[in-house]
Amino acid sequence: MHWLRCVLAEWQLVRARLVRSRLGIWLLLLGAGGAWLAARGASLTVLAPQIAMLGAVLGVAFTVGSDADRAAIALTLTHPTTPLAVATGRWLAAVTAAGIVVLALLFVAGAQSSLPTGAVVRAAVAGFGAAAGAAGCALLVVARGGNALAGALLLYIAVPSVLSADALRVAQQPGAVTWIGIAILELLPGAWRYDALATGDPAGWAHATAWAAGGVVLAARLLARRAR
C-alpha cells in the first residue's frame, strides 16, 4: 500500500503541470491538429495511436526532462519512496495526459462524423496502448539524456515512424543506413506498428507492453543511479 501511495503521489503531478506549465497548451494544440486531420478523412485507428504517442512524450518531457525536474526527483528519492514508484508514477502521469488528448479527439471526431461506437472504442484502446508504450520509451530516453532526446523522439514519431520496416526491407540494394533505419523502426514505438493495436495485433501489443514495463524498470534504475 505504501508503494501504491507513492505512485499516486507522483501521478498527481500531471494535474499541476497541465494548468501551471505549457503542457496543457501543447496538448491542446496537439488535439486540435488531430481533430483537423480527422475532419479531413484521416483514419482514427491510425491517427489516435500517433496522437497518443506524441502526447505521452510531451507528458514525460514536462514531468521528468527538465533540470528542475531531475533535481526534484533526486530530492524526492531522499524521502521514503523508491525509484520504481517514482518512475511508475511519472509514466502513469504521461499516459493520463495522452489519454485526455485521445478521448477529446475521439469525442470531437465522433460527433463530427457519427462513427460507430465500436470503431471509436477500438481507436481509444489503440490510443491508450500506444501511449503506454511511448511513455515507457520516453521515460527511459529522457532519464538518460533529458529533453533533447525527448525532442528527437517526438520528431521520429511525427514523421518517419509512419514508414514500416517492411517497406524498407523491400528497398533495392539496402545499405548500412537502410538497415539502421529498419532496426530503429523495429525497436522504437511507431505509428506503423501501433496502428494495428485496434485490431488486436499480438505483435503490436507485445511491443507496447514490453516498452511500457521495460521502460519504467530501466528508467527506475537510471534514477536510482543518479540519486547516489
PDB file of all heavy atoms in Angstrom, residues 43 45-46 49 118-119 121-127 192-205:
ATOM      1  N   SER A  43      -7.812   8.242 -40.833  1.00  0.00           N
ATOM      2  CA  SER A  43      -8.367   7.116 -40.089  1.00  0.00           C
ATOM      3  C   SER A  43      -8.065   7.257 -38.596  1.00  0.00           C
ATOM      4  O   SER A  43      -6.906   7.461 -38.216  1.00  0.00           O
ATOM      5  CB  SER A  43      -7.782   5.807 -40.617  1.00  0.00           C
ATOM      6  OG  SER A  43      -8.143   4.728 -39.787  1.00  0.00           O
ATOM      7  N   THR A  45      -8.120   4.960 -36.323  1.00  0.00           N
ATOM      8  CA  THR A  45      -7.319   3.856 -35.805  1.00  0.00           C
ATOM      9  C   THR A  45      -5.837   4.055 -36.087  1.00  0.00           C
ATOM     10  O   THR A  45      -4.997   3.418 -35.449  1.00  0.00           O
ATOM     11  CB  THR A  45      -7.778   2.517 -36.415  1.00  0.00           C
ATOM     12  OG1 THR A  45      -7.703   2.593 -37.843  1.00  0.00           O
ATOM     13  CG2 THR A  45      -9.198   2.194 -35.989  1.00  0.00           C
ATOM     14  N   VAL A  46      -5.523   4.919 -37.040  1.00  0.00           N
ATOM     15  CA  VAL A  46      -4.129   5.287 -37.312  1.00  0.00           C
ATOM     16  C   VAL A  46      -3.763   6.568 -36.573  1.00  0.00           C
ATOM     17  O   VAL A  46      -2.684   6.689 -35.991  1.00  0.00           O
ATOM     18  CB  VAL A  46      -3.897   5.463 -38.823  1.00  0.00           C
ATOM     19  CG1 VAL A  46      -2.480   5.938 -39.105  1.00  0.00           C
ATOM     20  CG2 VAL A  46      -4.184   4.163 -39.559  1.00  0.00           C
ATOM     21  N   PRO A  49      -3.456   6.424 -32.227  1.00  0.00           N
ATOM     22  CA  PRO A  49      -2.192   5.986 -31.625  1.00  0.00           C
ATOM     23  C   PRO A  49      -1.057   6.987 -31.799  1.00  0.00           C
ATOM     24  O   PRO A  49      -0.261   7.191 -30.886  1.00  0.00           O
ATOM     25  CB  PRO A  49      -1.891   4.674 -32.366  1.00  0.00           C
ATOM     26  CG  PRO A  49      -3.203   4.182 -32.837  1.00  0.00           C
ATOM     27  CD  PRO A  49      -3.981   5.422 -33.176  1.00  0.00           C
ATOM     28  N   GLY A 118     -18.283   1.045 -31.883  1.00  0.00           N
ATOM     29  CA  GLY A 118     -17.206   0.061 -31.865  1.00  0.00           C
ATOM     30  C   GLY A 118     -15.910   0.603 -32.414  1.00  0.00           C
ATOM     31  O   GLY A 118     -14.831   0.336 -31.868  1.00  0.00           O
ATOM     32  N   ALA A 119     -15.988   1.384 -33.490  1.00  0.00           N
ATOM     33  CA  ALA A 119     -14.784   1.957 -34.089  1.00  0.00           C
ATOM     34  C   ALA A 119     -14.130   2.957 -33.137  1.00  0.00           C
ATOM     35  O   ALA A 119     -12.896   3.009 -33.029  1.00  0.00           O
ATOM     36  CB  ALA A 119     -15.131   2.637 -35.414  1.00  0.00           C
ATOM     37  N   VAL A 121     -14.364   2.960 -29.835  1.00  0.00           N
ATOM     38  CA  VAL A 121     -13.791   2.218 -28.708  1.00  0.00           C
ATOM     39  C   VAL A 121     -12.467   1.571 -29.103  1.00  0.00           C
ATOM     40  O   VAL A 121     -11.485   1.619 -28.352  1.00  0.00           O
ATOM     41  CB  VAL A 121     -14.785   1.156 -28.199  1.00  0.00           C
ATOM     42  CG1 VAL A 121     -14.117   0.239 -27.184  1.00  0.00           C
ATOM     43  CG2 VAL A 121     -16.005   1.828 -27.587  1.00  0.00           C
ATOM     44  N   ARG A 122     -12.420   0.981 -30.300  1.00  0.00           N
ATOM     45  CA  ARG A 122     -11.177   0.352 -30.758  1.00  0.00           C
ATOM     46  C   ARG A 122     -10.063   1.385 -30.914  1.00  0.00           C
ATOM     47  O   ARG A 122      -8.905   1.122 -30.565  1.00  0.00           O
ATOM     48  CB  ARG A 122     -11.413  -0.371 -32.083  1.00  0.00           C
ATOM     49  CG  ARG A 122     -12.215  -1.654 -31.951  1.00  0.00           C
ATOM     50  CD  ARG A 122     -12.153  -2.476 -33.228  1.00  0.00           C
ATOM     51  NE  ARG A 122     -12.769  -1.773 -34.346  1.00  0.00           N
ATOM     52  CZ  ARG A 122     -14.048  -1.838 -34.656  1.00  0.00           C
ATOM     53  NH1 ARG A 122     -14.874  -2.571 -33.918  1.00  0.00           N
ATOM     54  NH2 ARG A 122     -14.524  -1.182 -35.710  1.00  0.00           N
ATOM     55  N   ALA A 123     -10.404   2.570 -31.424  1.00  0.00           N
ATOM     56  CA  ALA A 123      -9.402   3.622 -31.561  1.00  0.00           C
ATOM     57  C   ALA A 123      -8.914   4.094 -30.200  1.00  0.00           C
ATOM     58  O   ALA A 123      -7.724   4.374 -30.018  1.00  0.00           O
ATOM     59  CB  ALA A 123      -9.989   4.796 -32.353  1.00  0.00           C
ATOM     60  N   ALA A 124      -9.826   4.169 -29.224  1.00  0.00           N
ATOM     61  CA  ALA A 124      -9.435   4.580 -27.874  1.00  0.00           C
ATOM     62  C   ALA A 124      -8.497   3.563 -27.242  1.00  0.00           C
ATOM     63  O   ALA A 124      -7.485   3.924 -26.626  1.00  0.00           O
ATOM     64  CB  ALA A 124     -10.679   4.769 -27.003  1.00  0.00           C
ATOM     65  N   VAL A 125      -8.820   2.281 -27.387  1.00  0.00           N
ATOM     66  CA  VAL A 125      -7.960   1.231 -26.833  1.00  0.00           C
ATOM     67  C   VAL A 125      -6.580   1.280 -27.484  1.00  0.00           C
ATOM     68  O   VAL A 125      -5.545   1.170 -26.805  1.00  0.00           O
ATOM     69  CB  VAL A 125      -8.618  -0.149 -27.041  1.00  0.00           C
ATOM     70  CG1 VAL A 125      -7.647  -1.265 -26.675  1.00  0.00           C
ATOM     71  CG2 VAL A 125      -9.882  -0.254 -26.199  1.00  0.00           C
ATOM     72  N   ALA A 126      -6.556   1.445 -28.812  1.00  0.00           N
ATOM     73  CA  ALA A 126      -5.273   1.544 -29.507  1.00  0.00           C
ATOM     74  C   ALA A 126      -4.486   2.760 -29.032  1.00  0.00           C
ATOM     75  O   ALA A 126      -3.256   2.697 -28.866  1.00  0.00           O
ATOM     76  CB  ALA A 126      -5.505   1.630 -31.010  1.00  0.00           C
ATOM     77  N   GLY A 127      -5.181   3.866 -28.805  1.00  0.00           N
ATOM     78  CA  GLY A 127      -4.509   5.070 -28.341  1.00  0.00           C
ATOM     79  C   GLY A 127      -3.872   4.894 -26.975  1.00  0.00           C
ATOM     80  O   GLY A 127      -2.712   5.278 -26.757  1.00  0.00           O
ATOM     81  N   TRP A 192       3.535   3.059 -37.467  1.00  0.00           N
ATOM     82  CA  TRP A 192       3.349   1.929 -38.379  1.00  0.00           C
ATOM     83  C   TRP A 192       3.038   0.639 -37.630  1.00  0.00           C
ATOM     84  O   TRP A 192       2.314  -0.219 -38.121  1.00  0.00           O
ATOM     85  CB  TRP A 192       4.599   1.728 -39.250  1.00  0.00           C
ATOM     86  CG  TRP A 192       5.742   1.046 -38.542  1.00  0.00           C
ATOM     87  CD1 TRP A 192       6.708   1.655 -37.792  1.00  0.00           C
ATOM     88  CD2 TRP A 192       6.033  -0.350 -38.518  1.00  0.00           C
ATOM     89  NE1 TRP A 192       7.588   0.729 -37.291  1.00  0.00           N
ATOM     90  CE2 TRP A 192       7.202  -0.523 -37.731  1.00  0.00           C
ATOM     91  CE3 TRP A 192       5.439  -1.481 -39.078  1.00  0.00           C
ATOM     92  CZ2 TRP A 192       7.771  -1.763 -37.487  1.00  0.00           C
ATOM     93  CZ3 TRP A 192       6.006  -2.725 -38.842  1.00  0.00           C
ATOM     94  CH2 TRP A 192       7.158  -2.855 -38.062  1.00  0.00           C
ATOM     95  N   ARG A 193       3.577   0.501 -36.435  1.00  0.00           N
ATOM     96  CA  ARG A 193       3.355  -0.721 -35.664  1.00  0.00           C
ATOM     97  C   ARG A 193       2.091  -0.641 -34.828  1.00  0.00           C
ATOM     98  O   ARG A 193       1.340  -1.626 -34.718  1.00  0.00           O
ATOM     99  CB  ARG A 193       4.553  -0.997 -34.750  1.00  0.00           C
ATOM    100  CG  ARG A 193       4.438  -2.309 -33.988  1.00  0.00           C
ATOM    101  CD  ARG A 193       5.596  -2.509 -33.047  1.00  0.00           C
ATOM    102  NE  ARG A 193       6.861  -2.700 -33.747  1.00  0.00           N
ATOM    103  CZ  ARG A 193       7.257  -3.867 -34.250  1.00  0.00           C
ATOM    104  NH1 ARG A 193       6.480  -4.935 -34.168  1.00  0.00           N
ATOM    105  NH2 ARG A 193       8.431  -3.965 -34.849  1.00  0.00           N
ATOM    106  N   TYR A 194       1.816   0.503 -34.255  1.00  0.00           N
ATOM    107  CA  TYR A 194       0.718   0.604 -33.297  1.00  0.00           C
ATOM    108  C   TYR A 194      -0.632   0.906 -33.937  1.00  0.00           C
ATOM    109  O   TYR A 194      -1.648   0.878 -33.239  1.00  0.00           O
ATOM    110  CB  TYR A 194       1.042   1.659 -32.239  1.00  0.00           C
ATOM    111  CG  TYR A 194       2.158   1.253 -31.305  1.00  0.00           C
ATOM    112  CD1 TYR A 194       2.772   2.182 -30.478  1.00  0.00           C
ATOM    113  CD2 TYR A 194       2.611  -0.058 -31.253  1.00  0.00           C
ATOM    114  CE1 TYR A 194       3.804   1.811 -29.624  1.00  0.00           C
ATOM    115  CE2 TYR A 194       3.642  -0.434 -30.412  1.00  0.00           C
ATOM    116  CZ  TYR A 194       4.233   0.502 -29.604  1.00  0.00           C
ATOM    117  OH  TYR A 194       5.256   0.134 -28.759  1.00  0.00           O
ATOM    118  N   ASP A 195      -0.663   1.181 -35.259  1.00  0.00           N
ATOM    119  CA  ASP A 195      -1.972   1.384 -35.872  1.00  0.00           C
ATOM    120  C   ASP A 195      -2.756   0.077 -35.967  1.00  0.00           C
ATOM    121  O   ASP A 195      -3.959   0.083 -36.232  1.00  0.00           O
ATOM    122  CB  ASP A 195      -1.848   2.039 -37.251  1.00  0.00           C
ATOM    123  CG  ASP A 195      -1.090   1.173 -38.253  1.00  0.00           C
ATOM    124  OD1 ASP A 195      -0.748   0.042 -37.925  1.00  0.00           O
ATOM    125  OD2 ASP A 195      -0.847   1.656 -39.373  1.00  0.00           O
ATOM    126  N   ALA A 196      -2.069  -1.059 -35.727  1.00  0.00           N
ATOM    127  CA  ALA A 196      -2.747  -2.362 -35.734  1.00  0.00           C
ATOM    128  C   ALA A 196      -3.252  -2.763 -34.353  1.00  0.00           C
ATOM    129  O   ALA A 196      -3.857  -3.828 -34.202  1.00  0.00           O
ATOM    130  CB  ALA A 196      -1.815  -3.439 -36.281  1.00  0.00           C
ATOM    131  N   LEU A 197      -3.013  -1.940 -33.338  1.00  0.00           N
ATOM    132  CA  LEU A 197      -3.498  -2.266 -31.999  1.00  0.00           C
ATOM    133  C   LEU A 197      -5.022  -2.342 -31.965  1.00  0.00           C
ATOM    134  O   LEU A 197      -5.594  -3.108 -31.191  1.00  0.00           O
ATOM    135  CB  LEU A 197      -3.008  -1.225 -30.989  1.00  0.00           C
ATOM    136  CG  LEU A 197      -1.498  -1.154 -30.739  1.00  0.00           C
ATOM    137  CD1 LEU A 197      -1.187  -0.083 -29.705  1.00  0.00           C
ATOM    138  CD2 LEU A 197      -0.951  -2.503 -30.297  1.00  0.00           C
ATOM    139  N   ALA A 198      -5.673  -1.529 -32.791  1.00  0.00           N
ATOM    140  CA  ALA A 198      -7.127  -1.507 -32.806  1.00  0.00           C
ATOM    141  C   ALA A 198      -7.724  -2.835 -33.246  1.00  0.00           C
ATOM    142  O   ALA A 198      -8.867  -3.156 -32.902  1.00  0.00           O
ATOM    143  CB  ALA A 198      -7.629  -0.387 -33.721  1.00  0.00           C
ATOM    144  N   THR A 199      -6.961  -3.628 -34.003  1.00  0.00           N
ATOM    145  CA  THR A 199      -7.442  -4.928 -34.460  1.00  0.00           C
ATOM    146  C   THR A 199      -6.922  -6.063 -33.579  1.00  0.00           C
ATOM    147  O   THR A 199      -7.096  -7.232 -33.914  1.00  0.00           O
ATOM    148  CB  THR A 199      -7.020  -5.178 -35.921  1.00  0.00           C
ATOM    149  OG1 THR A 199      -5.588  -5.156 -36.017  1.00  0.00           O
ATOM    150  CG2 THR A 199      -7.604  -4.111 -36.830  1.00  0.00           C
ATOM    151  N   GLY A 200      -6.260  -5.726 -32.469  1.00  0.00           N
ATOM    152  CA  GLY A 200      -5.766  -6.736 -31.550  1.00  0.00           C
ATOM    153  C   GLY A 200      -4.503  -7.427 -32.004  1.00  0.00           C
ATOM    154  O   GLY A 200      -4.258  -8.582 -31.627  1.00  0.00           O
ATOM    155  N   ASP A 201      -3.671  -6.745 -32.776  1.00  0.00           N
ATOM    156  CA  ASP A 201      -2.443  -7.335 -33.297  1.00  0.00           C
ATOM    157  C   ASP A 201      -1.545  -7.798 -32.153  1.00  0.00           C
ATOM    158  O   ASP A 201      -1.094  -6.985 -31.342  1.00  0.00           O
ATOM    159  CB  ASP A 201      -1.709  -6.304 -34.152  1.00  0.00           C
ATOM    160  CG  ASP A 201      -0.368  -6.813 -34.639  1.00  0.00           C
ATOM    161  OD1 ASP A 201      -0.343  -7.899 -35.239  1.00  0.00           O
ATOM    162  OD2 ASP A 201       0.642  -6.129 -34.417  1.00  0.00           O
ATOM    163  N   PRO A 202      -1.244  -9.103 -32.042  1.00  0.00           N
ATOM    164  CA  PRO A 202      -0.444  -9.600 -30.913  1.00  0.00           C
ATOM    165  C   PRO A 202       0.962  -9.008 -30.871  1.00  0.00           C
ATOM    166  O   PRO A 202       1.480  -8.683 -29.790  1.00  0.00           O
ATOM    167  CB  PRO A 202      -0.401 -11.121 -31.141  1.00  0.00           C
ATOM    168  CG  PRO A 202      -1.556 -11.415 -32.042  1.00  0.00           C
ATOM    169  CD  PRO A 202      -1.713 -10.207 -32.905  1.00  0.00           C
ATOM    170  N   ALA A 203       1.607  -8.870 -32.044  1.00  0.00           N
ATOM    171  CA  ALA A 203       2.964  -8.328 -32.071  1.00  0.00           C
ATOM    172  C   ALA A 203       2.978  -6.873 -31.601  1.00  0.00           C
ATOM    173  O   ALA A 203       3.874  -6.453 -30.865  1.00  0.00           O
ATOM    174  CB  ALA A 203       3.541  -8.441 -33.480  1.00  0.00           C
ATOM    175  N   GLY A 204       1.989  -6.107 -32.027  1.00  0.00           N
ATOM    176  CA  GLY A 204       1.918  -4.708 -31.617  1.00  0.00           C
ATOM    177  C   GLY A 204       1.694  -4.568 -30.118  1.00  0.00           C
ATOM    178  O   GLY A 204       2.350  -3.759 -29.448  1.00  0.00           O
ATOM    179  N   TRP A 205       0.783  -5.381 -29.568  1.00  0.00           N
ATOM    180  CA  TRP A 205       0.527  -5.302 -28.130  1.00  0.00           C
ATOM    181  C   TRP A 205       1.712  -5.801 -27.320  1.00  0.00           C
ATOM    182  O   TRP A 205       2.013  -5.253 -26.251  1.00  0.00           O
ATOM    183  CB  TRP A 205      -0.736  -6.103 -27.780  1.00  0.00           C
ATOM    184  CG  TRP A 205      -1.990  -5.335 -28.063  1.00  0.00           C
ATOM    185  CD1 TRP A 205      -2.874  -5.534 -29.083  1.00  0.00           C
ATOM    186  CD2 TRP A 205      -2.479  -4.224 -27.313  1.00  0.00           C
ATOM    187  NE1 TRP A 205      -3.880  -4.619 -29.024  1.00  0.00           N
ATOM    188  CE2 TRP A 205      -3.678  -3.795 -27.944  1.00  0.00           C
ATOM    189  CE3 TRP A 205      -2.043  -3.542 -26.191  1.00  0.00           C
ATOM    190  CZ2 TRP A 205      -4.428  -2.730 -27.472  1.00  0.00           C
ATOM    191  CZ3 TRP A 205      -2.786  -2.465 -25.725  1.00  0.00           C
ATOM    192  CH2 TRP A 205      -3.964  -2.073 -26.354  1.00  0.00           C
TER     193      TRP A 205
END
